[in-house]
Amino acid sequence: MASPRIESGADAGKLVSMLYRSKATVPFRGADLADLATGAAERNRVRKVTGALFHDDGRFLQWIEGPRESVRELFTEICRDSRHTDIDVVSFGSAGHRLFADWNLRLYRQGQTVPELLSGAARTLRYAGGPEAVSAMALELADGDSTGFLAALEAMDGDVAESVALCELLMGRYARLRADDAVNDAGLAIGLALIQGAFRRHSIHVRDYPSTERGKALFVAPVPGEPHILGAVLASTALRNDGFPVHYELPLDCRELGSLIGRQACQGVVLASSGVCARPERLDTIRAAAETVRRAAPGVRLALYGRVEHPDEAALRMTGVNAICRSTIQLSSYFDCSARRIH
Ligand SMILES: Cc1cc2nc3c(=O)[nH]c(=O)nc-3n(C[C@H](O)[C@H](O)[C@H](O)COP(=O)(O)O)c2cc1C
């Protein structure tokens, strides 16, 4: 089956950068790391990718920069590597220049400082590297003040990937603020509504796709009963921007979800679940929605999107979804892989 990606044309070569973190699943000693870095640097050279890898006490942080298509392919491979897990994209977006132009993969070990990254030369890192800045922006939004957020979106100049990355950071931050009781439910609702409205107005440069592709669309909807739909908005915008035909719906309940899915052929389903409000009944609603999807479209690829944190990760995986994607870039990579039958 062909990839659903529409010709990405000039964009495929556009310089992008991404930062992700992950946790090692096996011990990495000096020699293991050096081996990994040597092979990786050689492959990165071929792909015109540069960047840096940090390892500290079982945790990885990797900065990757290069042509959009190369970065996406590489990240897909990295996600399939069983030597690490809990891969979490901190930022992804277009880049004006390379931070590590002279290094296909610069290796940093515990205790080493990272001047290039700390200098915060990249725009995304203003947010990725500054949790305080993101918290301050989230609190402003909860207070009804969207000035800072609008200025940030304007600076991103309609760059969808970068705006999505900022919204994802803000949602992650809200989850923390809510858990700490630093915002109440009303503030949370105001903040998320302002993000959603502003995001919709500003992320306008989403590519169109031919109508013949619609039969193969990805179906995107919030898990019915979710208190807000920002995750579904972000997922559908980011997937469209990546060239996937997307059919976006807002079903009121599982019955409506089932009949909407049953009505059209789709090549995959994305259920967006809010990571912001941790609720004990979450597993049940996700499981019920997944069962509905299974009945309506047996065999379809089903991904759960959102910063869905649950103390019982195994139980979350037993809800019947094929993949849990905590960022839109993981979502795109997952459906790229599905389409090419890599998974
Ligand atoms: C934390 C981490 C970072 C990695 N970074 C890179 C990288 O920058 N470039 C690369 O080619 N492989 C990297 N790898 C290795 C890839 O995941 C994968 O093993 C490699 O692309 C070979 O893929 P293959 O075994 O499917 O041929 C990394 C692996 C880990 C665990």
Side-chain angles (χ1 to χ4, degrees):
M1 192 196 296
S3 160
R5 182 187 301 282
I6 308 294
E7 280 293 49
S8 38
D11 269 7
K14 201 173 127 188
L15 188 66
V16 298
S17 62
M18 74 176 292
L19 182 70
Y20 76 84
R21 60 183 170 210
S22 65
K23 288 183 197 150
T25 51
V26 292
F28 269 91
R29 278 171 278 274
D32 306 321
L33 265 182
D35 280 355
L36 186 152
T38 309
E42 178 51 27
R43 286 187 298 271
N44 291 357
R45 190 184 60 74
V46 174
R47 287 189 157 128
K48 299 189 170 51
V49 165
T50 51
L53 177 65
F54 315 88
H55 180 259
D56 190 354
D57 199 19
R59 286 169 186 275
F60 287 113
L61 186 67
Q62 187 171 15
W63 177 263
I64 307 172
E65 55 195 15
R68 186 183 174 92
E69 206 44 43
S70 301
V71 168
R72 184 171 298 287
E73 278 172 19
L74 170 61
F75 185 62
T76 303
E77 282 176 21
I78 289 176
C79 285
R80 281 168 26 215
D81 197 317
S82 60
R83 289 172 292 177
H84 63 163
T85 182
D86 290 350
I87 299 168
D88 185 20
V89 177
V90 179
S91 76
F92 173 77
S94 53
H97 63 276
R98 292 180 189 252
L99 290 182
F100 291 88
D102 298 333
W103 297 88
N104 287 112
L105 191 64
R106 186 167 186 181
L107 189 59
Y108 290 91
R109 296 208 176 86
Q110 195 162 4
Q112 287 184 308
T113 54
V114 192
E116 291 89 341
L117 287 190
L118 293 183
S119 73
R123 202 165 47 194
T124 42
L125 279 182
R126 276 221 303 274
Y127 306 104
E132 294 80 15
V134 181
S135 287
M137 194 184 281
L139 288 170
E140 268 170 26
L141 283 161
D143 224 20
D145 177 1
S146 55
T147 326
F149 179 62
L150 287 174
L153 281 186
E154 246 149 53
M156 288 169 183
D157 198 21
D159 186 309
V160 174
E162 197 161 359
S163 329
V164 168
L166 176 59
C167 293
E168 286 182 325
L169 279 174
L170 278 167
M171 284 170 77
R173 189 55 38 178
Y174 268 129
R176 183 84 54 81
L177 291 171
R178 186 69 197 98
D180 294 348
D181 256 343
V183 286
N184 58 22
D185 284 339
L188 187 64
I190 293 169
L192 294 173
L194 285 177
I195 294 175
Q196 190 177 318
F199 175 78
R200 279 226 149 127
R201 277 197 302 281
H202 280 262
S203 50
I204 41 180
H205 304 303
V206 178
R207 259 182 246 121
D208 232 340
Y209 45 84
S211 54
T212 47
E213 289 286 327
R214 281 205 84 81
K216 288 194 266 159
L218 291 178
F219 181 99
V220 179
V223 173
E226 283 287 318
H228 67 88
I229 57 167
L230 182 55
V233 171
L234 294 183
S236 56
T237 309
L239 286 167
R240 271 192 190 126
N241 190 53
D242 284 344
F244 290 93
V246 171
H247 191 83
Y248 170 70
E249 291 283 358
L250 286 174
L252 276 178
D253 49 29
C254 280
R255 244 177 61 159
E256 197 180 348
L257 173 69
S259 79
L260 286 167
I261 290 179
R263 230 178 270 162
Q264 70 228 309
C266 54
Q267 62 134 323
V269 174
V270 177
L271 290 174
S273 182
S274 163
V276 176
C277 317
R279 295 177 318 284
E281 71 276 18
R282 155 157 303 178
L283 279 185
D284 293 334
T285 49
I286 294 173
R287 194 179 298 112
E291 277 167 13
T292 306
V293 173
R294 293 280 168 239
R295 271 196 303 274
V300 78
R301 295 241 158 217
L302 170 58
L304 182 68
Y305 163 72
R307 287 188 183 248
V308 202
E309 306 304 341
H310 197 279
D312 190 349
E313 181 74 19
L316 190 57
R317 295 195 173 275
M318 295 291 284
T319 49
V321 298
N322 298 112
I324 299 173
C325 300
R326 294 198 160 87
S327 68
T328 50
I329 186 163
Q330 285 180 340
L331 205 52
S332 287
S333 292
Y334 173 67
F335 282 108
D336 254 5
C337 291
S338 308
R340 293 178 190 155
R341 293 185 192 277
I342 291 174
H343 273 268

